[in-house]
Amino acid sequence: MCDDDHGNGVPRRALFVTGAAAALTLGSVTFASGADAAGGPGTPASGTETRTVRGTLPTGSPDFVYLPVEVPRGVREIKVAYTYEKPSVPAGTAGNALDIGIFDERGTDLGGRGFRGWSGGARSEFFLRGDDATPGYLPGPVRPGTWHIALGPYTVAPQGLPYEVTVTLTYGEQAVTPKPVYPPARARGRGRAWYRGDCHLHSWYSDGRRTPAEIAALARAAGLDFINSTDHNTHSSHPHWADQAGDDLLILLGEEITTRNGHVLALGTDPGTFVDWRYRARDNRFGKFARRVREAGGLVVPAHPHATCIGCGWKFGFGEADAVEVWNGPYTPDDEIALADWDNMLVAAVRSGGHGERGWLPAMGNSDAHRDPDQVGTPQTVVLADDLTREAVQAGLRAGRSYVAESQLVSLAFTASGARGEHAGIGERLKVAPDTPVTVRVEAAGAPRCTVRLVTDEGLLFTSDPLPVSGAGTVEWRTTAAYAAYVRAELRHEAAAGPLPGALAAFTNPIFLGDAR
């Protein structure tokens, strides 16, 4: 049981369950009517009213606790501030972390029809009105009715989570909401070519610290041709990218859907698309929202599936995925685990005859950059696309015609050819007989002292000598489709010590060998 106190002599109210979802609702916060606040009927409302709510959430609290706010007529702006205690806890024990957002009078039903913003734990206060809102929140009319402040107890200390929420209503005429303008779905491009992109980026519209202008400048400096906006659980940044796009930079719009059982990128959705995140794997609802992403023209890409932060590990499986983010930010052990796990999925796909259409899962890599010193474009996905457009880039990513590089300095070409001139590139299949000799060729640049490794469904079968200090070199290896159902390439830095391989400088999606099995 959780108690709440409205701080105005109102008795404490018990929480009660709102439905099947893991959520609870507090007693309502009420205000005088707009007319009463202004001095009587017929008098234009003006001024402000404030209410404060205090309470304590115990360990084992539900994922979401809703605080209803009865908004009267004549409100121009809502402002919310909150604080909570962060007591000391023993080593290895989670402390308090409380997220926040808001839903308007249209309600809190799953799907987000009433969604008006979310800042997670990034901000201690926010406002919204017709013409403006705190980053993370959506400007628009403040209509009368029951609004809900959404509290998300991410972790709760053994002592409980005491909180205080202050709601201030400002009365007056509604401001006009500006019509949103979004970035174009194409840039100039070079026709069919290899394009570099970073599809996992955070701005100050969620928990990042950079503006869209700063991110776009860093993307250009990193040699990127396209980026994808992925703020946590909000699409509020979408109208703020239009003036950053240009002939040289395609800006896709999306969201990082940040559930308690893992994070997933909505990559390149229609402008203004919101995708709800308020469910766990056990709720069996992810399929519905994955379809929502695709219906909005986006790709479904589970992010950092083996990340160790609380709630970051991916628990929904990969049956709804269009690709998977194997490499996230600077290369670390959890990326190495994700790479091995993805390779196991490739093996399972070819063993089951599943390397045809959508039978295997392409990999990609992104920076997940939030703030300095996070480097935009480290790593970056390099995709073969017919042009620099939203649809063409997505088609290349979905088909796996891509590789991942640690920076714009690293590039590679990876092909397989048969004895009769047959040829295939990354993400393609070389159709040859099982015993036909196949030549696999890797041309690398920008990878000094790196080794080339060739990995198949039978494991690591070839490791080259280190490339020269110039970073450029060519490696060839011969095999057959009977010996290798697929082959993929890695560029590895020199290992610091011990038996473990060095960090990746680049890796490719596979080339499949032989007819479909």
Side-chain angles (χ1 to χ4, degrees):
M1 191 69 70
C2 307
D3 292 330
D4 71 296
D5 179 357
H6 285 205
N8 297 296
V10 177
R12 291 174 177 250
R13 294 178 172 88
L15 289 167
F16 57 89
V17 179
T18 61
L24 295 171
T25 299
L26 294 158
S28 296
V29 179
T30 59
F31 291 82
S33 70
D36 291 342
T43 305
S46 61
T48 64
E49 281 191 284
T50 297
R51 299 285 187 273
T52 297
V53 176
R54 300 177 185 88
T56 299
L57 300 176
T59 56
S61 290
D63 289 345
F64 301 100
V65 174
Y66 294 105
L67 174 62
V69 179
E70 301 300 333
V71 176
R73 295 184 184 278
V75 174
R76 182 177 188 272
E77 178 183 292
I78 295 179
K79 180 178 179 181
V80 178
Y82 82 119
T83 61
Y84 60 94
E85 294 182 14
K86 300 178 181 178
S88 298
V89 295
T93 301
N96 283 335
L98 183 63
D99 295 342
I100 197 167
I102 194 167
F103 291 77
D104 66 19
E105 84 290 346
R106 292 170 292 181
T108 63
D109 288 349
L110 200 61
R113 185 166 176 264
F115 177 78
R116 290 296 294 271
W118 181 260
S119 49
R123 301 181 185 278
S124 60
E125 62 180 48
F126 63 86
F127 77 91
L128 52 87
R129 60 175 185 258
D131 62 340
D132 198 7
T134 299
Y137 294 80
L138 306 178
V142 180
R143 293 177 290 261
T146 303
W147 290 51
H148 289 84
I149 296 169
L151 300 176
Y154 198 68
T155 55
V156 178
Q159 302 96 314
L161 196 161
Y163 64 87
E164 178 180 290
V165 179
T166 299
V167 184
T168 300
L169 304 185
T170 299
Y171 294 91
E173 292 186 7
Q174 295 280 350
V176 176
T177 303
K179 183 178 180 180
V181 178
Y182 300 111
R186 65 169 54 244
R188 178 172 293 172
R190 305 181 298 278
R192 187 174 176 83
W194 292 93
Y195 296 100
R196 294 175 177 263
D198 188 345
C199 294
H200 189 168
L201 294 162
H202 296 277
S203 74
W204 68 353
Y205 287 88
S206 60
D207 62 342
R209 292 294 179 267
R210 292 167 174 156
T211 66
E214 291 169 331
I215 293 170
L218 291 168
R220 288 180 166 98
L224 301 182
D225 301 295
F226 65 93
I227 59 174
N228 181 63
S229 167
T230 54
D231 282 309
H232 292 285
N233 297 341
T234 180
H235 59 299
S236 63
S237 73
H238 286 192
H240 300 279
W241 288 101
D243 57 355
Q244 304 307 320
D247 288 344
D248 63 332
L249 185 64
L250 173 68
I251 299 181
L252 307 178
L253 302 176
E255 178 186 337
E256 183 169 12
I257 304 160
T258 307
T259 80
R260 299 298 178 87
N261 284 162
H263 303 181
V264 58
L265 308 179
L267 196 164
T269 52
D270 293 336
T273 297
F274 168 73
V275 185
D276 213 323
W277 76 98
R278 294 171 294 159
Y279 44 85
R280 289 179 179 258
R282 66 191 177 211
D283 299 323
N284 295 317
R285 288 172 172 153
F286 176 66
K288 172 182 177 180
F289 293 100
R291 289 190 294 275
R292 165 72 172 141
V293 172
R294 281 193 283 272
E295 288 167 357
L299 302 183
V300 177
V301 184
H304 47 65
H306 291 277
T308 57
C309 48
I310 294 174
C312 295
W314 185 246
K315 305 297 185 184
F316 294 91
F318 296 93
E320 295 285 352
D322 296 300
V324 58
E325 185 187 75
V326 166
W327 184 353
N328 174 277
Y331 200 72
T332 57
D334 57 281
D335 298 309
E336 187 72 30
I337 295 169
L339 181 69
D341 192 36
W342 170 68
D343 191 71
N344 288 338
M345 287 192 284
L346 292 178
V347 173
V350 297
R351 295 287 185 267
S352 63
H355 58 91
E357 182 69 19
R358 282 195 57 79
W360 65 282
L361 191 63
M364 63 184 308
N366 303 295
S367 72
D368 198 2
H370 285 69
R371 61 187 68 83
D372 293 338
D374 299 350
Q375 294 184 338
V376 173
T378 300
Q380 52 194 249
T381 298
V382 190
V383 59
L384 179 61
D386 289 336
D387 207 345
L388 189 52
T389 68
R390 169 187 165 190
E391 290 185 355
V393 167
Q394 289 176 320
L397 294 171
R398 189 186 296 110
R401 297 193 305 265
S402 61
Y403 66 91
V404 181
E406 66 181 356
S407 75
Q408 63 182 316
L409 300 177
V410 180
S411 62
L412 59 81
F414 180 48
T415 59
S417 57
R420 298 181 179 179
E422 305 94 335
H423 183 274
I426 300 170
E428 298 175 341
R429 176 150 39 97
L430 184 69
K431 296 181 180 180
V432 294
D435 58 351
T436 297
V438 173
T439 300
V440 176
R441 181 180 175 90
V442 180
E443 299 176 49
R449 302 300 299 167
C450 287
T451 57
V452 177
R453 293 169 27 125
L454 298 177
V455 182
T456 78
D457 56 310
E458 299 292 341
L460 174 64
L461 295 185
F462 176 84
T463 302
S464 75
D465 293 330
L467 296 174
V469 292
S470 67
T474 300
V475 170
E476 288 189 350
W477 177 67
R478 288 172 177 79
T479 188
T480 65
Y483 189 45
Y486 69 82
V487 59
R488 60 178 185 83
E490 298 178 354
L491 294 179
R492 293 272 187 170
H493 289 287
E494 294 179 288
L500 296 177
L504 281 176
F507 77 95
T508 71
N509 276 300
I511 299 173
F512 295 98
L513 306 180
D515 292 330
R517 298 178 182 177

